[in-house]
Amino acid sequence: MNPAYRRYHPKWYRARMPIFWWLRRVSYFRFIARELTSVFVAYAGVLLLVQVRSVAAGPEALARFTGWLQLPPVAALHVVVLLALLFHTITWLHLAPRAMVVRLGGRRVPDVAVLLGHYGAWLAASALVVWVVVR
Amino acid sequence: MPETVTLEVRRYRPEEETEPTWQRYQVPFRREWMVLDALNHIKDHQDGTLSFRWSCRMGVCGSCGMMVNGDPRLTCATYLETLLPGPVRVEPLRGFPVIRDLVGDLTDFLTKLKRVQPWIVRQTEGPPAQGEYRQTPDQLAAYRPYAMCINCMLCYSACPIYELEPSFLGPAVIALAQRYNLDSRDQGREARMEVLSEHDGIWACTFVGECSAVCPKHVDPAGAIQRYKLEAVVAWAKGLVLPRSGT
């Protein structure tokens, strides 16, 4: 190549993504929080399985498990887990109408109806779990 | 109202410097001016070496997208007045390599766009005598929002995934693929699905949702991608339950 051309040859500048990119915008932070709280969702699932196992293992195991749940640090942790679960669930449900285009009778079902449907399903599932646990 | 407003413009002159720098310009303030008018004032009266892209000045060509105070915006549609008292920071669109000053290299987008065949694909063409392929208003409404895309690249600049994983197809490419998929005249859906269902296609998107928030044409690429995912999962599940249904 003619060295004279090199002077005008584009030398791209590529910016590096900062490690704290998710602090750049509120929406990025909300997104990261939604993704990270899924760890708590997994934890809640495991907790439920352990509870079911202790129920199956007999009253003694269940009492031990319930006793552990009542320890103040464990209870405090579970308040945090509950808040994280609520945050995750609500932000997740509010995304649902964007992904689902439901058509009924040739018309598009409004987003609010899709959202309320999800809330309804959530309530029904929660009621079922409560019924199974309390029964 | 102030007499003047300060613009801090990101400069990058590859023949002189290895890192971009900031340059301050003082421009007169006019109520009817957009950021692009201020940049053109600099170019015409203060510093002819400042490089940036623009064409139509009316939000149609999609050339003048830049980061204005950290947000991806069309500079021809952003009033200076809304950014007072300043200084107004203007940078090239995030996520693209910078060629010079405010000019980014968009080759990556154009290469990816071609891969999804953003045109009407027909398996069989009717004879011209048969006339045009007609559509009902409902069929038009199904894809029309996606046809509004002006390829301004604001959605790419808003997408952290594209910045972290440059191999990601990106919001506009997927929305434009959807534009043709939803067109009743098109028959290229399956060919596009091949590209879109790759690792760097729809599944790379984690639904940050900012692409739709910044779109000046309200295209909602994020919605398009999530709908696509849902459709792909339903098709996969159908294939699992009814393997011979041909889906």
Side-chain angles (χ1 to χ4, degrees), chain A residues 93-114:
Chain A
L93 289 187
H94 280 256
L95 294 176
R98 301 270 301 281
M100 294 182 80
V101 177
V102 186
R103 287 185 169 274
L104 270 183
R107 278 170 179 270
R108 189 177 163 177
V109 176
D111 285 358
V112 180
V114 175

PDB file of all heavy atoms in Angstrom, chain A residues 93-114:
ATOM      1  N   LEU A  93     -44.026 -10.488  35.195  1.00  0.00           N
ATOM      2  CA  LEU A  93     -45.401 -10.520  34.690  1.00  0.00           C
ATOM      3  C   LEU A  93     -45.687  -9.307  33.808  1.00  0.00           C
ATOM      4  O   LEU A  93     -46.391  -9.417  32.815  1.00  0.00           O
ATOM      5  CB  LEU A  93     -46.395 -10.566  35.856  1.00  0.00           C
ATOM      6  CG  LEU A  93     -46.460 -11.877  36.639  1.00  0.00           C
ATOM      7  CD1 LEU A  93     -47.596 -11.834  37.647  1.00  0.00           C
ATOM      8  CD2 LEU A  93     -46.647 -13.068  35.720  1.00  0.00           C
ATOM      9  N   HIS A  94     -45.103  -8.163  34.184  1.00  0.00           N
ATOM     10  CA  HIS A  94     -45.374  -6.967  33.403  1.00  0.00           C
ATOM     11  C   HIS A  94     -44.729  -7.016  32.010  1.00  0.00           C
ATOM     12  O   HIS A  94     -45.070  -6.212  31.145  1.00  0.00           O
ATOM     13  CB  HIS A  94     -44.941  -5.710  34.161  1.00  0.00           C
ATOM     14  CG  HIS A  94     -45.968  -5.316  35.176  1.00  0.00           C
ATOM     15  ND1 HIS A  94     -46.826  -4.264  34.996  1.00  0.00           N
ATOM     16  CD2 HIS A  94     -46.315  -5.871  36.361  1.00  0.00           C
ATOM     17  CE1 HIS A  94     -47.651  -4.190  36.041  1.00  0.00           C
ATOM     18  NE2 HIS A  94     -47.349  -5.141  36.887  1.00  0.00           N
ATOM     19  N   LEU A  95     -43.798  -7.940  31.805  1.00  0.00           N
ATOM     20  CA  LEU A  95     -43.200  -8.094  30.474  1.00  0.00           C
ATOM     21  C   LEU A  95     -44.066  -8.976  29.575  1.00  0.00           C
ATOM     22  O   LEU A  95     -43.970  -8.923  28.355  1.00  0.00           O
ATOM     23  CB  LEU A  95     -41.808  -8.719  30.591  1.00  0.00           C
ATOM     24  CG  LEU A  95     -40.734  -7.891  31.299  1.00  0.00           C
ATOM     25  CD1 LEU A  95     -39.458  -8.695  31.408  1.00  0.00           C
ATOM     26  CD2 LEU A  95     -40.470  -6.606  30.538  1.00  0.00           C
ATOM     27  N   ALA A  96     -44.922  -9.775  30.219  1.00  0.00           N
ATOM     28  CA  ALA A  96     -45.667 -10.801  29.472  1.00  0.00           C
ATOM     29  C   ALA A  96     -46.493 -10.244  28.302  1.00  0.00           C
ATOM     30  O   ALA A  96     -46.453 -10.805  27.208  1.00  0.00           O
ATOM     31  CB  ALA A  96     -46.541 -11.606  30.424  1.00  0.00           C
ATOM     32  N   PRO A  97     -47.248  -9.142  28.500  1.00  0.00           N
ATOM     33  CA  PRO A  97     -48.066  -8.679  27.367  1.00  0.00           C
ATOM     34  C   PRO A  97     -47.246  -8.295  26.141  1.00  0.00           C
ATOM     35  O   PRO A  97     -47.758  -8.322  25.014  1.00  0.00           O
ATOM     36  CB  PRO A  97     -48.783  -7.431  27.923  1.00  0.00           C
ATOM     37  CG  PRO A  97     -48.682  -7.536  29.391  1.00  0.00           C
ATOM     38  CD  PRO A  97     -47.440  -8.304  29.680  1.00  0.00           C
ATOM     39  N   ARG A  98     -45.965  -7.951  26.339  1.00  0.00           N
ATOM     40  CA  ARG A  98     -45.125  -7.582  25.199  1.00  0.00           C
ATOM     41  C   ARG A  98     -44.811  -8.814  24.350  1.00  0.00           C
ATOM     42  O   ARG A  98     -44.628  -8.704  23.137  1.00  0.00           O
ATOM     43  CB  ARG A  98     -43.802  -6.978  25.687  1.00  0.00           C
ATOM     44  CG  ARG A  98     -43.955  -5.755  26.549  1.00  0.00           C
ATOM     45  CD  ARG A  98     -43.966  -4.479  25.748  1.00  0.00           C
ATOM     46  NE  ARG A  98     -42.773  -4.257  24.967  1.00  0.00           N
ATOM     47  CZ  ARG A  98     -41.639  -3.806  25.463  1.00  0.00           C
ATOM     48  NH1 ARG A  98     -41.534  -3.553  26.743  1.00  0.00           N
ATOM     49  NH2 ARG A  98     -40.607  -3.606  24.688  1.00  0.00           N
ATOM     50  N   ALA A  99     -44.736  -9.978  25.017  1.00  0.00           N
ATOM     51  CA  ALA A  99     -44.356 -11.196  24.299  1.00  0.00           C
ATOM     52  C   ALA A  99     -45.563 -11.922  23.723  1.00  0.00           C
ATOM     53  O   ALA A  99     -45.439 -12.682  22.770  1.00  0.00           O
ATOM     54  CB  ALA A  99     -43.588 -12.131  25.233  1.00  0.00           C
ATOM     55  N   MET A 100     -46.737 -11.689  24.307  1.00  0.00           N
ATOM     56  CA  MET A 100     -47.912 -12.457  23.892  1.00  0.00           C
ATOM     57  C   MET A 100     -48.903 -11.573  23.167  1.00  0.00           C
ATOM     58  O   MET A 100     -49.392 -10.604  23.732  1.00  0.00           O
ATOM     59  CB  MET A 100     -48.607 -13.043  25.121  1.00  0.00           C
ATOM     60  CG  MET A 100     -47.767 -14.062  25.834  1.00  0.00           C
ATOM     61  SD  MET A 100     -48.660 -14.729  27.227  1.00  0.00           S
ATOM     62  CE  MET A 100     -49.695 -15.897  26.399  1.00  0.00           C
ATOM     63  N   VAL A 101     -49.150 -11.925  21.926  1.00  0.00           N
ATOM     64  CA  VAL A 101     -50.211 -11.241  21.194  1.00  0.00           C
ATOM     65  C   VAL A 101     -51.342 -12.242  21.090  1.00  0.00           C
ATOM     66  O   VAL A 101     -51.258 -13.220  20.353  1.00  0.00           O
ATOM     67  CB  VAL A 101     -49.737 -10.798  19.805  1.00  0.00           C
ATOM     68  CG1 VAL A 101     -50.872 -10.153  19.037  1.00  0.00           C
ATOM     69  CG2 VAL A 101     -48.587  -9.832  19.944  1.00  0.00           C
ATOM     70  N   VAL A 102     -52.363 -12.042  21.911  1.00  0.00           N
ATOM     71  CA  VAL A 102     -53.477 -12.987  21.929  1.00  0.00           C
ATOM     72  C   VAL A 102     -54.598 -12.412  21.074  1.00  0.00           C
ATOM     73  O   VAL A 102     -54.965 -11.249  21.216  1.00  0.00           O
ATOM     74  CB  VAL A 102     -53.978 -13.210  23.379  1.00  0.00           C
ATOM     75  CG1 VAL A 102     -55.028 -14.302  23.412  1.00  0.00           C
ATOM     76  CG2 VAL A 102     -52.819 -13.549  24.291  1.00  0.00           C
ATOM     77  N   ARG A 103     -55.105 -13.265  20.180  1.00  0.00           N
ATOM     78  CA  ARG A 103     -56.212 -12.816  19.325  1.00  0.00           C
ATOM     79  C   ARG A 103     -57.445 -13.626  19.644  1.00  0.00           C
ATOM     80  O   ARG A 103     -57.391 -14.852  19.722  1.00  0.00           O
ATOM     81  CB  ARG A 103     -55.845 -12.977  17.848  1.00  0.00           C
ATOM     82  CG  ARG A 103     -54.834 -11.959  17.415  1.00  0.00           C
ATOM     83  CD  ARG A 103     -54.555 -12.033  15.921  1.00  0.00           C
ATOM     84  NE  ARG A 103     -53.772 -10.869  15.542  1.00  0.00           N
ATOM     85  CZ  ARG A 103     -54.292  -9.689  15.223  1.00  0.00           C
ATOM     86  NH1 ARG A 103     -55.607  -9.527  15.225  1.00  0.00           N
ATOM     87  NH2 ARG A 103     -53.521  -8.679  14.911  1.00  0.00           N
ATOM     88  N   LEU A 104     -58.541 -12.919  19.855  1.00  0.00           N
ATOM     89  CA  LEU A 104     -59.811 -13.580  20.129  1.00  0.00           C
ATOM     90  C   LEU A 104     -60.842 -12.959  19.205  1.00  0.00           C
ATOM     91  O   LEU A 104     -61.017 -11.743  19.210  1.00  0.00           O
ATOM     92  CB  LEU A 104     -60.234 -13.365  21.589  1.00  0.00           C
ATOM     93  CG  LEU A 104     -59.766 -14.411  22.614  1.00  0.00           C
ATOM     94  CD1 LEU A 104     -60.322 -14.093  23.979  1.00  0.00           C
ATOM     95  CD2 LEU A 104     -60.152 -15.822  22.203  1.00  0.00           C
ATOM     96  N   GLY A 105     -61.486 -13.789  18.414  1.00  0.00           N
ATOM     97  CA  GLY A 105     -62.521 -13.289  17.500  1.00  0.00           C
ATOM     98  C   GLY A 105     -62.001 -12.239  16.542  1.00  0.00           C
ATOM     99  O   GLY A 105     -62.693 -11.257  16.273  1.00  0.00           O
ATOM    100  N   GLY A 106     -60.741 -12.413  16.077  1.00  0.00           N
ATOM    101  CA  GLY A 106     -60.180 -11.487  15.098  1.00  0.00           C
ATOM    102  C   GLY A 106     -59.662 -10.184  15.688  1.00  0.00           C
ATOM    103  O   GLY A 106     -59.120  -9.357  14.974  1.00  0.00           O
ATOM    104  N   ARG A 107     -59.824  -9.989  16.994  1.00  0.00           N
ATOM    105  CA  ARG A 107     -59.335  -8.763  17.619  1.00  0.00           C
ATOM    106  C   ARG A 107     -58.212  -9.089  18.585  1.00  0.00           C
ATOM    107  O   ARG A 107     -58.193 -10.156  19.191  1.00  0.00           O
ATOM    108  CB  ARG A 107     -60.448  -8.094  18.428  1.00  0.00           C
ATOM    109  CG  ARG A 107     -61.372  -7.275  17.578  1.00  0.00           C
ATOM    110  CD  ARG A 107     -62.578  -6.850  18.394  1.00  0.00           C
ATOM    111  NE  ARG A 107     -63.459  -6.029  17.585  1.00  0.00           N
ATOM    112  CZ  ARG A 107     -63.362  -4.697  17.509  1.00  0.00           C
ATOM    113  NH1 ARG A 107     -62.463  -4.062  18.220  1.00  0.00           N
ATOM    114  NH2 ARG A 107     -64.175  -4.012  16.738  1.00  0.00           N
ATOM    115  N   ARG A 108     -57.320  -8.125  18.744  1.00  0.00           N
ATOM    116  CA  ARG A 108     -56.213  -8.328  19.672  1.00  0.00           C
ATOM    117  C   ARG A 108     -56.692  -8.044  21.089  1.00  0.00           C
ATOM    118  O   ARG A 108     -57.292  -7.005  21.362  1.00  0.00           O
ATOM    119  CB  ARG A 108     -55.069  -7.382  19.307  1.00  0.00           C
ATOM    120  CG  ARG A 108     -53.836  -7.714  20.084  1.00  0.00           C
ATOM    121  CD  ARG A 108     -52.662  -6.868  19.722  1.00  0.00           C
ATOM    122  NE  ARG A 108     -51.694  -7.013  20.819  1.00  0.00           N
ATOM    123  CZ  ARG A 108     -50.517  -6.459  20.831  1.00  0.00           C
ATOM    124  NH1 ARG A 108     -50.116  -5.721  19.831  1.00  0.00           N
ATOM    125  NH2 ARG A 108     -49.712  -6.629  21.858  1.00  0.00           N
ATOM    126  N   VAL A 109     -56.423  -9.013  21.976  1.00  0.00           N
ATOM    127  CA  VAL A 109     -56.796  -8.831  23.383  1.00  0.00           C
ATOM    128  C   VAL A 109     -55.901  -7.736  23.963  1.00  0.00           C
ATOM    129  O   VAL A 109     -54.685  -7.775  23.779  1.00  0.00           O
ATOM    130  CB  VAL A 109     -56.600 -10.161  24.154  1.00  0.00           C
ATOM    131  CG1 VAL A 109     -56.888  -9.992  25.630  1.00  0.00           C
ATOM    132  CG2 VAL A 109     -57.479 -11.241  23.551  1.00  0.00           C
ATOM    133  N   PRO A 110     -56.475  -6.719  24.651  1.00  0.00           N
ATOM    134  CA  PRO A 110     -55.633  -5.632  25.176  1.00  0.00           C
ATOM    135  C   PRO A 110     -54.605  -6.128  26.188  1.00  0.00           C
ATOM    136  O   PRO A 110     -54.831  -7.128  26.889  1.00  0.00           O
ATOM    137  CB  PRO A 110     -56.632  -4.672  25.827  1.00  0.00           C
ATOM    138  CG  PRO A 110     -57.924  -5.394  25.907  1.00  0.00           C
ATOM    139  CD  PRO A 110     -57.907  -6.494  24.900  1.00  0.00           C
ATOM    140  N   ASP A 111     -53.477  -5.402  26.245  1.00  0.00           N
ATOM    141  CA  ASP A 111     -52.370  -5.791  27.122  1.00  0.00           C
ATOM    142  C   ASP A 111     -52.811  -5.961  28.580  1.00  0.00           C
ATOM    143  O   ASP A 111     -52.364  -6.866  29.265  1.00  0.00           O
ATOM    144  CB  ASP A 111     -51.259  -4.728  27.053  1.00  0.00           C
ATOM    145  CG  ASP A 111     -50.478  -4.833  25.754  1.00  0.00           C
ATOM    146  OD1 ASP A 111     -50.789  -5.745  24.960  1.00  0.00           O
ATOM    147  OD2 ASP A 111     -49.570  -4.019  25.529  1.00  0.00           O
ATOM    148  N   VAL A 112     -53.709  -5.068  29.031  1.00  0.00           N
ATOM    149  CA  VAL A 112     -54.151  -5.130  30.431  1.00  0.00           C
ATOM    150  C   VAL A 112     -54.803  -6.479  30.720  1.00  0.00           C
ATOM    151  O   VAL A 112     -54.575  -7.077  31.777  1.00  0.00           O
ATOM    152  CB  VAL A 112     -55.145  -3.981  30.729  1.00  0.00           C
ATOM    153  CG1 VAL A 112     -55.614  -4.036  32.170  1.00  0.00           C
ATOM    154  CG2 VAL A 112     -54.490  -2.644  30.429  1.00  0.00           C
ATOM    155  N   ALA A 113     -55.596  -6.979  29.769  1.00  0.00           N
ATOM    156  CA  ALA A 113     -56.284  -8.248  29.969  1.00  0.00           C
ATOM    157  C   ALA A 113     -55.272  -9.393  30.059  1.00  0.00           C
ATOM    158  O   ALA A 113     -55.405 -10.291  30.901  1.00  0.00           O
ATOM    159  CB  ALA A 113     -57.260  -8.491  28.829  1.00  0.00           C
ATOM    160  N   VAL A 114     -54.236  -9.338  29.207  1.00  0.00           N
ATOM    161  CA  VAL A 114     -53.193 -10.384  29.243  1.00  0.00           C
ATOM    162  C   VAL A 114     -52.486 -10.344  30.596  1.00  0.00           C
ATOM    163  O   VAL A 114     -52.248 -11.373  31.237  1.00  0.00           O
ATOM    164  CB  VAL A 114     -52.180 -10.183  28.089  1.00  0.00           C
ATOM    165  CG1 VAL A 114     -51.042 -11.180  28.185  1.00  0.00           C
ATOM    166  CG2 VAL A 114     -52.882 -10.308  26.744  1.00  0.00           C
TER     167      VAL A 114
END
